[in-house]
Amino acid sequence: MRERSSTRHRRRTREFEAFVAGAGGRLLHAATLLTAEPFDDNPRARRLLTAALAETYARWHRLRGEDPYDRTRQELAGRFARAAWRHHRPAVPGLPRPPADEGLLARLTAQERLILVLRLYEGVAEEQTAALVGLPTDRVRAICTRAITTMRSTPPAPRTPAAPAPGATT
């Protein structure tokens, strides 16, 4: 009996490793877009993805025909939304804002990033996005439109080049 359980566990592990090898890059890209971190330095996105993958692995044997990519994407979006809500600090006039991230979608709010990534990058239908985020479909459509308008109208902030090291010649 123990041998059969061990074989099942090894097969489950191999299946999950194959899933991560195939989908891990795209999921990391989505997590990086959500956290608005630069693609070359994304520790929050990696932590977010690791937590989502850990939850997917814990439920792997119970998926029963459910798409593991969809399950992981839902977990990723849910974790991001909960963290964004928990750490949301509104702008207060006169107080310095927290340092802005430098990622591609850094100009958007966390909610706009979440909806934009789900709708445009992941291709999730409006109704599914609305159910996942817990908003009416019309509100999701409006937020997505506003995010697209912001991305089109606001030029990205210029990145400042790194200062040369003292004593370096240019």
Side-chain angles (χ1 to χ4, degrees), residues 1-140:
M1 184 67 164
R2 188 174 272 192
E3 194 172 302
R4 191 175 355 173
S5 175
S6 175
T7 303
R8 234 181 292 140
H9 178 71
R10 283 194 302 270
R11 183 179 59 235
R12 174 183 168 205
T13 302
R14 279 194 310 270
E15 289 172 354
F16 182 75
E17 287 172 351
F19 163 70
V20 172
R26 184 170 172 92
L27 287 166
L28 179 60
H29 189 79
T32 303
L33 288 171
L34 286 172
T35 59
E37 294 176 300
F39 289 105
D40 56 347
D41 182 27
N42 51 8
R44 288 185 315 180
R46 290 178 185 277
R47 282 193 304 272
L48 183 66
L49 179 58
T50 300
L53 286 171
E55 182 66 26
T56 300
Y57 181 72
R59 296 173 184 229
W60 191 258
H61 67 284
R62 292 180 288 195
L63 289 178
R64 306 230 197 285
E66 187 180 351
D67 184 11
Y69 187 85
D70 285 342
R71 180 73 195 127
T72 306
R73 181 179 55 217
Q74 287 175 355
E75 185 65 32
L76 188 68
R79 284 179 179 276
F80 172 75
R82 286 188 299 274
W85 180 256
R86 198 171 35 246
H87 300 294
H88 175 70
R89 288 185 277 175
V92 178
L95 291 178
R97 294 199 62 152
D101 292 315
E102 299 175 2
L104 182 64
L105 303 179
R107 294 174 280 160
L108 302 176
T109 66
Q111 185 181 50
E112 290 171 335
R113 283 195 309 260
L114 176 61
I115 290 172
L116 198 68
V117 168
L118 287 173
R119 290 282 299 123
L120 301 181
Y121 181 71
E122 290 292 324
V124 178
E126 261 180 11
E127 295 79 18
Q128 288 177 304
T129 301
L132 187 62
V133 178
L135 294 172
T137 305
D138 293 343
R139 183 75 180 129
V140 167

